[in-house]
Amino acid sequence: MSLKKTFSSDGKKCTVVFTVNPEAAAGASKVYLVGEFNSWNPTATPMKKDPAGSFSVKKQLDTNKEFQFRYCLDGNIWINDWKADKYVRSELANDDNSVVDTTVPKSLKAGKTPAAKETGGKTAAKKSAAPKKSAKK
């Protein structure tokens, strides 16, 4: 799993590639990205499966914000991103949500163009490597 971020040259948009690897997808035939950016609609943002079995989708988000999200597998299994920027407690379920942070890097603010950044698990509370399953967000 990963979040690969690319910032626009004006620093107003962040394109994030959300990826669920085959291990995390656990044999799912459909995976959806669900979060604040699509009003938690469980079918609004389908992810595309590649030949290796990973699912991914690209989403353009406003910068300098945090967005909660989760992945929905086959319409009934909810998992977090193992490498999310952090996790926060869900207001609707006894579970955590993943968070993607689109804060513009200082190097971009200074006028430098950064390469794409792949986050590697800056977490408020360390999560286990196993996917977390629950009924819903």
Side-chain angles (χ1 to χ4, degrees), residues 82-87 119-124 126:
W82 303 342
K83 294 189 176 182
D85 293 323
K86 69 179 187 179
Y87 303 90
T119 60
K122 295 179 202 167
T123 59
K126 203 69 169 163

Side-chain angles (χ1 to χ4, degrees), residues 49-69:
K49 187 174 185 177
D50 70 19
S54 289
F55 289 83
S56 63
V57 67
K58 193 182 293 188
K59 188 85 175 153
Q60 190 173 65
L61 303 171
D62 290 332
T63 55
N64 301 317
K65 295 185 179 184
E66 291 184 344
F67 297 92
Q68 294 182 38
F69 71 97

Side-chain angles (χ1 to χ4, degrees), residues 7 102-110 114 117:
F7 294 86
T102 62
T103 301
V104 177
K106 290 178 184 171
S107 59
L108 183 60
K109 289 179 186 176
K117 178 185 175 190

